Structures are given as structure tokens and as C-alpha cells.
Amino acid sequence: MTAPEFSRPIALDTIGDVPRTVTVEADEAERAALAARFGLASIARLAARATVSLRSGFPYAEGAVTAAVTQNCIVTGDPLPVAVEEPFALRFLPTDMASDSEVELDAAACDTMFHSGGAIDLGEAAAETLALALDPFPRGPGADAALKAAGVIGEDAYTPLNAFAALQALKKT
């Protein structure tokens, strides 16, 4: 397995019951590599600020990811600047617990990431949080006009019932 593009390990033996604040920020090379990984035009800024502590014996991080990225419109390809401010709550479990059939989550409904070795990776957690926060099918202001110009009537025009009705109309002629 290759190392993450934006890795900020926090040694497990430095995480205690008393919360501490950790801030991480991706440099230019890390942002370029993450943009390639996530299929983005660019990432101008990516940072995370989290409170890290042990909860029920496991590392836990709660905070927010902030980013400025450029996605491309899926219709026109036009660049779309996107500002991200995404909160997260993550519990880190050892990789060997990933194969356990039952991992009980508390009522806080935090997400779970797995770690191996003696550290959790707040950089990779921030990168994955960013990826999940982005619109997977971004559309710019000119998308509808471009679709119409290409002859696309509408996305809901061909539901199964409408398609069947169109076939019935053809049969009558």
C-alpha cells in the first residue's frame, strides 16, 4: 500500500484522555497530488483543525475540514470554485478490528477509520472527509442550457412510464 498524499500521523502514545487541539494543512505538492487522486481541477487550500483524545479507550477526533477547491462542471467542463467547511467526528480503531463482524458505535454516530501501527493519520482523515463532502456531479450555471442545446429534453423526461407512453403513442400512428 502506498503512503497517503497528505499524511499527518499522530502517535497513539501521545493521545490521552485530556483533549488537545491539532491543526494540519496540506502543502502545494500534497494538494496537487490529492487533486489528481480525487479528479479535481485544483485544491487551493486544505486544512483541518481537530480535538483529539481517547474515548472508551480509542482515539477520537472531532473538528472541521476547510478547503478551497476547483471542480469541473460535468456537463460543460467549466471550472467551479467550491468552498468546503465540513465538520467531522471520527473514531479510530485498530485494523484488526475491521474484520470483526460487530463493532458497536455509540449514540454520537461518529464515522470510523482504521489504523495500523502506532499512529492515526489526521491528514488522510481530512482528505477523505473532503472527498466525501464534494458534490460528485457538480453542475455550473450553464449546464442546463448546454444540455438543452445538445437536445436533452430533461432528466426526468424518460421515466419508465413516460417511455411506455411514448411507445404507445407510436403504436397508434
Side-chain angles (χ1 to χ4, degrees), residues 53-165:
S53 64
L54 290 178
R55 291 191 185 173
S56 301
F58 296 105
Y60 185 86
E62 185 172 15
V65 169
T66 57
V69 305
T70 302
Q71 293 183 277
N72 290 323
C73 173
I74 63 165
V75 177
T76 65
D78 293 340
L80 302 171
V82 178
V84 175
E85 177 82 25
E86 186 70 16
F88 63 86
L90 297 169
R91 179 169 57 174
F92 294 85
L93 299 176
T95 304
D96 60 353
M97 289 184 78
S99 62
D100 289 350
S101 58
E102 292 184 33
V103 175
E104 292 199 28
L105 296 177
D106 58 18
C110 62
D111 289 323
T112 300
M113 290 188 71
F114 294 94
H115 68 85
S116 60
I120 62 170
D121 194 340
L122 194 56
E124 179 60 15
E128 290 182 18
T129 299
L130 168 65
L132 291 171
L134 295 172
D135 182 348
F137 304 107
R139 288 183 164 207
D144 289 338
L147 288 170
K148 187 175 180 180
V152 176
I153 297 169
E155 294 175 37
D156 59 347
Y158 294 106
T159 63
L161 291 176
N162 288 344
F164 182 70

